Amino acid sequence: MDHLLHLDSTLDDLDPPRWTPPAADATHLVRKVHGLRSVPLGRLGPADLHTLVSQQVALPYVLPLVVRLLLEEPLLDAYYYEGDLLLAAVEVPASAWDLLPDLADRLRTVITTLPETAVADLPRGAAEELARFAARPGSPR
């Protein structure tokens, strides 16, 4: 299945049920995530994807977009710092990656090819998170 076929659809379309509008006193983050669910997938930017991945929203639809970006630029600065999108992706529960084994394998390949100097420049603990993800068993061959 090609997870990128739905770029004109929104998460509200693809990941039912549609969310109700946030409460009037909702936090900025809650309002933002609710709003992102109504944006066509093809229009979500790196910062939007970072937010959705960090909040674990509709991961089967969001992770393919994230991996597509990371294949091109593994240490993309999506929102906070260089490599933040990669770190958000590897911190996703393994159960989400189990649904996307080929994408997980591709991301593991990206991680294992990162130069040590680049990994050393990431925040404290990042190297361990990347190594943990890379060490997960891959999809069956």
Side-chain angles (χ1 to χ4, degrees):
M1 173 180 169
D2 186 347
H3 297 279
L4 300 177
L5 290 176
H6 306 289
L7 295 177
D8 292 333
S9 299
T10 69
L11 293 174
D12 274 341
D13 298 332
L14 298 169
D15 184 45
R18 285 183 185 273
W19 289 10
T20 58
D25 62 346
T27 65
H28 172 73
L29 179 59
V30 168
R31 288 191 310 274
K32 181 176 183 176
V33 171
H34 276 256
L36 291 174
R37 286 188 53 91
S38 65
V39 175
L41 295 184
R43 296 187 62 198
L44 293 171
D48 301 328
L49 294 171
H50 183 278
T51 298
L52 292 166
V53 167
S54 297
Q55 297 303 306
Q56 300 182 18
V57 174
L59 293 174
Y61 300 101
V62 175
L63 285 174
L65 299 170
V66 168
V67 171
R68 181 174 68 168
L69 288 175
L70 294 174
L71 290 174
E72 293 176 19
E73 189 177 347
L75 297 176
L76 176 70
D77 179 344
Y79 203 78
Y80 299 109
Y81 53 84
E82 185 175 59
D84 61 350
L85 186 58
L86 177 61
L87 291 174
V90 301
E91 291 172 355
V92 165
S95 59
W97 286 109
D98 290 345
L99 300 173
L100 304 164
D102 293 340
L103 290 176
D105 286 346
R106 292 177 78 187
L107 189 57
R108 273 191 280 283
T109 299
V110 166
I111 290 168
T112 59
T113 60
L114 287 173
E116 284 185 38
T117 54
V119 173
D121 288 340
L122 295 173
R124 182 178 308 177
E128 292 79 11
E129 284 296 315
L130 294 174
R132 181 188 54 76
F133 184 88
R136 286 183 191 162
S139 63
R141 303 277 177 218

